[in-house]
Amino acid sequence: MAEDSSVNDVFRFVQLRPQRTVPDSRPILLLDRTALVTRLAGAGSVSKRAEIANGALEVGSVQSVADVPLGAEIAAALQALREQESATTDDLRQQLPDLDATVNSRDFPAKREALSDTLLAAYFATQGFPDDLGALQDIYRVYHLPPANDEDAEEPLAQFLTRPLLAPAMPRAEASRMQRAGNETPPSDAERTALTSAIDELARLDRRELLEQPGEDGLARGATIPFTLNAAARTAVSGETAAVLRQRGIDLAKTPIDVAVQSLFTEKVKIFDRPIKWPRPPVVPQPGVTLPPPPAHALVRPAGVADLLVVKQQIKRYEAGEIAHVENVLIGEKKSRAHRRLERSEETFVSETETTRTQETELETADRFELNREASRTIESDQKHGFGLSLSGKYGPTVEFSSTFSAEASSSSEETTKSSSRYAKDVVSRSLERLTERVREVRTRTIIRETEETNLHELHNETEEHVSGIYQFLEKIYEAQVFNYGIREMFDFMIPEPASFFWYVEQNPTLDVDLPPPPEKLELLCPDASHITEDTAIPLAAEFGADIDGPPPLYMLITVGMKHGEDNASESGSPRSVQRAELTIPAGYRPLRARIRGLALTDEHPVIGISIAGERVLWKPGQNDRVALSNGQKMAYEPLLNMNLDAEPYGFSTESKLAVSIIAYETNTYSVEVAAVATRTAQLLEQWKLATFKKIRAAYEDRVREYEQKVEALRAEAEAKAERENRMPFGAPPAANRQTINTELKKHCISMITQQRYDAFDATKNGAPPFFDFTEAAAEGAFIRFFEQAFEWDQIQYVFYPYFWARKTTWVDRFTKQEIDPLFLEFLRAGSARVVVPVRPGFETAVTHFLETGKLWGGKGEPPRINTPLYVSIIDEIRERTGAPQGEKAVGEPWDVRVPTALVLTRQTADLPKWKRTAPGEWSWLPDEGPG
C-alpha cells in the first residue's frame, strides 16, 4: 500500500442512519404573542423581516446578561458547573436559591418577554447582535427549569443546555421573490402602456348601440352630440382609461368616440420608443449589497446522517490485456500507410440589383407659310307661275266684270373665287424616360481547412517467413481500500444534465476568442405573428434592421366634395339638379359614419337630399342658418350633418366604392363636402401582423446568419491556432477531468440550495484595468466563504444516470459522444446525476439556519468569528484539497482493481496470450507467459 498522500479516491459511499428526532416536550419555546412576533410575521419579504429584527436589537432593553433578572448569577453558576462533568440541573437549582422567587415575581413576565424578543430578533437579524448571545440563550433555558417535584427535574446539566430554542412558526415571506431588479417601469413606458390600453378599450366600445345617434335630419337629438358614448356606456369605462382621458381633458360626453381615440393615438406617437427589453434571469439584490436573492422554501433537505466511507486507490502496475489488432506481413511484402484529411468549406454570396436611367427630351418647332385658294360657284334658278282670276259685279244701272291672268319665271347664277394666306408655327415636344438601376455586389468567402497528417508506417518483410505482429490492450491495476471518515450529515441532490455547461461551451467555442454578442433570440418575445403588436413591431424591426410598413391606422378619413353652378348662375325660377360621386373605401376597412357640410345660394327655401350607401338625410336650412346677400339672395349653410354607414356588415375589396347622390331643389349654386370615417377590420390587422412578422423574421435570420459566419471565421482561426500550438494532443489527463466533474457538480449543488444562477456576483467592474467594488466584494466574499466551507466538497459522491433522462433533442449527441477517459465520458453522456455531499462537522446548525431563514449565519456580509467552530483555517482547506490524511480509518482488506485503457502494446513474440487462475478456489487471473 502506498503512502496516504498518494492514494487516489475511487468512489465514496455512505451507510445511512435515521436522523434522530427531538421529542416535542424537550424544546424550549420562545414567546409567540409579542408585538415583535406580530411585526415579523407581517413582513412582506426576507429583507423586510431582517430590517425589523435589526431595529429590535438596536432599541431592545436586553443587550447583555446584566439586563435580565439574575443574569450575572446564572452566568456565574453555569461557568462553575460546566467544569464538573457530573453536574445536574439539581446542582444548578441549589446554586440559584432565588430563582423560583424571581420567576414568580410580578415584573418577571415583561422581562422574560424582552429576552425572548432579543433571542428571536437575533435569529432573523443581520447586524447588531449582543456580544454574549450564547449566555443569554442559556439564561432563557434556566428560566424554564422544571419544578423540583417534576419527574424530569434532574437531568445532566450539559444535556439540559443543549435543549433547542424554538422560534414561533412564521411562514417564509415570498414577496421578495416577486420583486425584480430594475423592474420599475420608466414613466414613458408606463404612459405608453396606459395610452395603448385606453385606445384598445375605447375601440371596443365603438359600437352603434353604445353611441348617441343623430336624428333623421342628421342633427343632434336634444343636448347630445352624435357618436359620443351614451351615459350607460360611459359608466362602463375603466378607472385607468378614465384617468388617461381626464389627464388630457377629453370628455366622452362631448367628444365623438373616433375623435377621442385619434387624440390619444396622437399623444402616443409623441412618446419615444425605448429599446426593447429582452427577458433575463431575475436578480434580486439584498439591501445595500449585491448578493443572490434569499431562496424560497428549501428545495433540498438533509437526507440523514451516515458513515462517510471513501474508497481510495493507488496504481500498482500495467498488464497486457486482450488482443487489439493482428498485423500480418507476407514474405517479400511491403506495406505503407499515409493518412490525409481535408476539410473544405466554401461560401459564396451574390446580391445583384440593376438600375439603368435613360432620359430623352425632344423639342421640334416648324414654321409654315401657306397660300390657300377657294373657288365657289352658285347657280340658282327660280321659276314661278301664277294664275289669278278676279270677278266683280255691280248691280245698278250697269254691270261690270273684270278678270286677270298672270305667269312669273325667274333665274339667277353666282360664281366666287377667294384667295387667302396663313402663317402657322408647329411646336412638338416629346419626352422619353427609362429607368434601369443595376448594383452588383458579390461577396465571396472561401474557408479552406486542410489538415494533412502523413504517418509513414512501413512494414517490409525481407525474411523467408511470414511475419505476424500482435497488439494487446494495456490495463491498469490499482489497489483499492475503504476508509471511514466518521458520521456526517448528508445532503442529497438530483442534478439534471450535469455536463450541460460543457456541451454549451463545445457548441459555442470561445477558444480565447473575443466573440461578438449574439443577436437576441426572436423567440423570446415573438415566437409567431400573433405576438406582434403595434407597440412592439417598430422596436423589433429596429433591433434587427427590418424594413416594415407601419400598422394600418385604426380609423381612416375618406373625403369627397361636389359643387354645382357657374360663377353667375341664376337662382330665378325653381332650379333643380342631380349629382353623383363616389367614396372609395380602402380594402380592409369598413365605413362607420359620415359627416356632411354644405353651402348654397338661394332666393327661396332650398332642400338638398343626400344619399350615401342606402342611408339618406335631408338638408333644410332654417331661418337662423341663412345670411342675407344683395338682390334678395341668401347664403344658406349647415354646420354639420351626421349619418350612420355601418348598417351592412359586409367586407370591401379594393374596388369597393360608396355611391354619393345629391338632389337639390331651389338652389342652382351649392357645394357639399362629405367626410366618411372608416375603421379597419380584424382581417387587415392580422394580414399586417403576418407580413410584419415575415419581414422581421427574415431580418432576424440575416442577423443570425451574419453572426454565425463571423463566429465560424473566428473559430476557424482559433482552431488553426490551436492546431499550430498543438494543444493537449492526447486530451486532458484523467485527474484534470475529475476536477472538472467535481467543479461542475459543486456549481450545480450550490445553485440548487441557494436557488440562484450566479448572476449577482459582479463585484469586479470593467475598467482599464478592471477594479472591484469594496462593499460588494466583502459581501460576496462572505457568501462564497460560507458555501465553500460549510460542505466537504472534497468528499462529494455522485452517480451518473443514462442519457435518456436528458432532453430528447440531445440523445443522439450524447449517445455518439466519444472520450478516451471512461468516467469523463459517463459524465458527458449523463442525463441526470445523483450527488451526495456531507456537511462539515460543526456547520449543521449554520446550514439549517440558512435553509430556514434564507440568510447566512452571523448576518449578511459578516463572516463567522475566528474564535467559533464555524471558522475553517486556510491551512485545513489546503490540506483537504491536496489529500492530506484527515483521521480516516481503514476498513477491511485492500483489493486489486483492473481498469481498461485505450493504450496498446506490441507482444515480443507471435504466440497468442493466455491467462490462468492464481488458485483453484479464487477468481483471480494472471497472464500465463509460460510454455503452452
Side-chain angles (χ1 to χ4, degrees):
M1 189 71 184
E3 295 181 358
D4 290 341
S5 61
S6 62
V7 175
N8 298 319
D9 296 347
V10 182
F11 58 90
R12 300 169 177 85
F13 59 95
V14 294
Q15 292 180 344
L16 285 178
R17 302 178 181 179
Q19 200 168 21
R20 293 187 303 168
T21 58
V22 180
D24 294 339
S25 60
R26 307 302 290 177
I28 298 174
L29 302 179
L30 298 179
L31 301 181
D32 59 352
R33 296 187 179 181
T34 68
L36 178 61
V37 172
T38 302
R39 293 175 60 201
L40 291 173
S45 66
V46 172
S47 300
K48 182 64 175 177
R49 184 171 290 175
E51 180 183 346
I52 295 173
N54 292 338
L57 288 180
E58 183 178 356
V59 301
S61 60
V62 177
Q63 300 292 335
S64 65
V65 295
D67 298 328
V68 296
L70 295 178
E73 292 84 351
I74 294 174
L78 291 176
Q79 181 65 27
L81 292 175
R82 276 196 175 98
E83 298 177 358
Q84 305 176 17
E85 295 182 1
S86 60
T88 64
T89 54
D90 187 56
D91 297 331
L92 177 62
R93 193 178 290 105
Q94 293 177 10
Q95 294 281 340
L96 301 169
D98 298 331
L99 179 62
D100 291 340
T102 301
V103 171
N104 295 323
S105 63
R106 179 177 299 180
D107 59 345
F108 178 76
K111 295 182 179 180
R112 183 178 62 174
E113 178 179 325
L115 176 58
S116 176
D117 284 349
T118 296
L119 299 179
L120 181 62
Y123 185 75
F124 291 104
T126 59
Q127 61 189 18
F129 304 99
D131 292 335
D132 43 7
L133 180 60
L136 292 174
Q137 293 173 344
D138 290 339
I139 293 172
Y140 190 83
R141 293 185 178 95
V142 173
Y143 286 161
H144 292 79
L145 274 174
N149 57 356
D150 192 279
E151 61 181 3
D152 294 330
E154 186 175 358
E155 66 174 303
L157 182 60
Q159 178 178 330
F160 174 77
L161 294 178
T162 59
R163 285 192 180 187
L165 301 180
L166 295 187
M170 273 185 274
R172 288 284 303 282
E174 301 300 330
S176 63
R177 299 289 294 175
M178 303 304 295
Q179 300 172 359
R180 295 292 180 263
N183 65 341
E184 296 82 4
T185 304
S188 59
D189 289 354
E191 185 179 7
R192 188 181 186 91
T193 301
L195 286 170
T196 300
S197 177
I199 290 172
D200 293 342
E201 181 177 353
L202 293 180
R204 291 192 298 268
L205 295 176
D206 191 356
R207 291 154 45 190
R208 186 167 187 168
E209 63 273 17
L210 301 179
L211 304 180
E212 299 288 356
Q213 298 298 320
E216 294 183 357
D217 56 357
L219 302 177
R221 296 179 177 177
T224 63
I225 297 177
F227 308 126
T228 58
L229 284 179
N230 56 39
R234 292 197 298 271
T235 60
V237 175
S238 66
E240 293 79 4
T241 298
V244 171
L245 295 170
R246 188 166 50 252
Q247 292 173 0
R248 287 156 180 81
I250 299 176
D251 187 354
L252 293 179
K254 299 178 180 179
T255 307
I257 186 71
D258 56 295
V259 177
V261 170
Q262 286 299 108
S263 300
L264 295 181
F265 181 77
T266 302
E267 293 291 327
K268 178 180 172 181
V269 297
K270 294 178 182 178
I271 301 175
F272 176 73
D273 286 328
R274 294 176 60 86
I276 197 165
K277 290 184 177 180
W278 297 92
R280 292 289 185 272
V283 178
V284 184
Q286 293 190 21
V289 296
T290 301
L291 280 180
H297 295 296
L299 299 179
V300 291
R301 287 290 182 180
V305 295
D307 286 314
L308 176 59
L309 303 177
V310 179
V311 178
K312 296 188 176 184
Q313 69 180 11
Q314 170 62 39
I315 188 169
K316 295 174 64 176
R317 64 182 183 274
Y318 282 85
E319 288 185 359
E322 297 186 21
I323 295 177
H325 176 65
V326 177
E327 186 74 52
N328 297 310
V329 185
L330 302 180
I331 299 174
E333 182 180 10
K334 182 179 180 181
K335 291 183 178 180
S336 61
R337 180 182 303 145
H339 173 73
R340 182 177 182 267
R341 181 169 63 94
L342 175 64
E343 181 180 352
R344 182 186 297 269
S345 175
E346 293 191 16
E347 299 180 13
T348 301
F349 304 91
V350 178
S351 176
E352 183 171 332
T353 304
E354 183 172 344
T355 301
T356 302
R357 183 184 299 273
T358 302
Q359 184 171 356
E360 178 181 337
T361 302
E362 180 179 342
L363 181 63
E364 179 180 318
T365 303
D367 294 342
R368 302 192 307 276
F369 181 82
E370 298 176 350
L371 178 63
N372 293 342
R373 292 182 178 275
E374 182 179 346
S376 175
R377 182 178 182 180
T378 301
I379 299 176
E380 181 179 353
S381 176
D382 292 333
Q383 188 173 4
K384 182 177 180 181
H385 297 278
F387 296 90
L389 178 61
S390 175
L391 179 65
S392 64
K394 180 178 180 180
Y395 297 93
T398 59
V399 177
E400 293 182 1
F401 288 95
S402 175
S403 64
T404 303
F405 170 81
S406 67
E408 295 182 358
S410 65
S411 175
S412 64
S413 175
E414 180 179 355
E415 290 188 7
T416 303
T417 301
K418 299 179 180 180
S419 298
S420 65
S421 64
R422 182 176 62 186
Y423 175 78
K425 176 182 288 187
D426 292 340
V427 178
V428 178
S429 177
R430 292 185 300 172
S431 177
L432 173 64
E433 182 174 345
R434 183 175 62 186
L435 180 65
T436 303
E437 180 176 347
R438 180 176 182 180
V439 178
R440 179 175 175 83
E441 177 185 354
V442 178
R443 290 187 300 157
T444 302
R445 182 166 67 96
T446 302
I447 299 177
I448 301 178
R449 296 190 193 92
E450 184 173 350
T451 301
E452 184 170 349
E453 179 182 347
T454 304
N455 296 323
L456 185 58
H457 185 197
E458 291 187 348
L459 299 175
H460 189 194
N461 187 0
E462 297 179 347
T463 67
E464 299 299 328
E465 298 180 358
H466 301 306
V467 176
S468 296
I470 299 178
Y471 296 84
Q472 285 182 270
F473 285 113
L474 289 182
E475 295 180 346
K476 294 189 289 186
I477 308 301
Y478 289 89
E479 183 174 287
Q481 175 72 59
V482 177
F483 291 86
N484 190 334
Y485 280 76
I487 298 295
R488 295 291 192 276
E489 182 181 31
M490 298 292 180
F491 275 75
D492 199 331
F493 300 87
M494 289 299 298
I495 306 299
E497 300 188 23
S500 57
F501 183 68
F502 184 91
W503 284 98
Y504 171 78
V505 172
E506 187 175 73
Q507 295 169 3
N508 301 273
T510 55
L511 293 176
D512 301 331
V513 177
D514 186 13
L515 294 179
E520 299 287 356
K521 292 185 177 181
L522 181 61
E523 294 78 8
L524 291 177
L525 281 183
C526 189
D528 53 52
S530 64
H531 291 75
I532 291 288
T533 66
E534 297 178 56
D535 291 338
T536 61
I538 294 179
L540 282 173
E543 178 75 20
F544 303 115
D547 185 10
I548 66 171
D549 297 326
L554 182 59
Y555 293 102
M556 184 171 287
L557 195 66
I558 305 103
T559 61
V560 65
M562 292 169 286
K563 69 181 183 66
H564 183 271
E566 301 297 333
D567 294 341
N568 296 316
S570 173
E571 297 295 331
S572 62
S574 300
R576 66 197 67 182
S577 61
V578 177
Q579 289 197 77
R580 184 180 178 86
E582 292 178 337
L583 282 171
T584 302
I585 305 299
Y589 281 82
R590 181 173 60 86
L592 287 180
R593 57 191 68 98
R595 298 183 176 96
I596 306 166
R597 295 181 184 274
L599 292 172
L601 288 176
T602 183
D603 57 357
E604 292 292 340
H605 300 282
V607 176
I608 298 180
I610 304 171
S611 173
I612 305 176
E615 301 289 333
R616 47 195 176 274
V617 65
L618 290 178
W619 172 29
K620 299 178 182 179
Q623 294 299 326
N624 296 329
D625 299 333
R626 305 185 188 190
V627 177
L629 303 175
S630 60
N631 300 326
Q633 303 292 320
K634 295 179 180 179
M635 172 73 74
Y637 65 89
E638 178 56 52
L640 187 64
L641 297 175
N642 298 278
M643 294 179 63
N644 251 315
L645 302 177
D646 62 343
E648 300 293 343
Y650 299 109
F652 288 80
S653 65
T654 54
E655 295 81 16
S656 298
K657 300 180 184 298
L658 293 182
V660 180
S661 300
I662 297 179
I663 299 180
Y665 177 73
E666 283 294 350
T667 175
N668 200 28
T669 304
Y670 60 88
S671 66
V672 176
E673 293 182 358
V674 179
V677 178
T679 183
R680 75 183 178 207
T681 61
Q683 293 81 0
L684 178 62
L685 187 60
E686 291 301 319
Q687 292 172 4
W688 172 78
K689 287 183 177 182
L690 289 171
T692 301
F693 178 77
K694 184 178 180 181
K695 294 179 179 179
I696 293 177
R697 181 72 187 182
Y700 165 73
E701 291 174 350
D702 289 342
R703 300 291 86 75
V704 171
R705 187 161 44 249
E706 292 173 1
Y707 170 77
E708 291 175 347
Q709 292 167 2
K710 190 170 184 178
V711 169
E712 183 67 21
L714 293 174
R715 184 169 63 178
E717 181 181 351
E719 289 177 352
K721 180 180 178 182
E723 291 179 2
R724 289 194 303 269
E725 295 177 356
N726 196 22
R727 293 182 180 176
M728 302 177 69
F730 301 106
N737 289 338
R738 304 297 184 275
Q739 185 64 34
T740 300
I741 294 174
N742 290 351
T743 301
E744 285 301 293
L745 295 179
K746 176 181 176 180
K747 178 189 71 176
H748 294 314
C749 291
I750 295 177
S751 182
M752 180 169 288
I753 199 172
T754 60
Q755 298 182 41
Q756 53 91 23
R757 296 183 177 88
Y758 305 95
D759 298 289
F761 292 91
D762 58 352
T764 301
K765 310 300 180 183
N766 292 328
F771 64 94
F772 59 84
D773 182 272
F774 298 115
T775 303
E776 291 188 16
E780 294 176 8
F783 194 90
I784 295 170
R785 182 186 295 110
F786 177 80
F787 284 100
E788 288 287 346
Q789 297 181 352
F791 295 89
E792 294 183 296
W793 297 109
D794 58 305
Q795 304 294 359
I796 192 171
Q797 307 165 53
Y798 47 84
V799 175
F800 296 125
Y801 297 124
Y803 70 91
F804 52 76
W805 296 114
R807 291 165 293 172
K808 202 168 186 178
T809 54
T810 67
W811 281 12
V812 174
D813 293 336
R814 294 177 187 274
F815 187 80
T816 58
K817 183 67 175 178
Q818 295 297 326
E819 171 66 39
I820 193 171
D821 186 348
L823 181 60
F824 197 61
L825 177 61
E826 191 178 2
F827 166 70
L828 297 177
R829 288 181 174 179
S832 184
R834 181 185 179 187
V835 183
V836 178
V837 184
V839 178
R840 187 182 304 279
F843 274 78
E844 296 86 357
T845 303
V847 172
T848 303
H849 184 266
F850 177 82
L851 295 178
E852 295 295 334
T853 66
K855 69 182 184 66
L856 305 182
W857 177 260
K860 68 176 184 183
E862 186 176 333
R865 296 178 179 85
I866 293 179
N867 60 355
T868 68
L870 297 185
Y871 183 81
V872 177
S873 169
I874 186 64
I875 301 300
D876 294 336
E877 284 200 70
I878 294 175
R879 286 172 56 84
E880 293 171 2
R881 292 172 183 266
T882 56
Q886 302 177 42
E888 63 271 21
K889 297 179 180 180
V891 178
E893 297 296 329
W895 70 95
D896 287 348
V897 177
R898 187 179 299 273
V899 179
T901 71
L903 304 176
V904 294
L905 180 69
T906 305
R907 285 180 63 82
Q908 297 296 328
T909 61
D911 59 319
L912 297 177
K914 296 179 293 183
W915 287 264
K916 66 180 179 179
R917 284 189 180 183
T918 56
E922 295 183 3
W923 188 260
S924 179
W925 296 76
L926 291 175
D928 183 10
E929 300 298 343

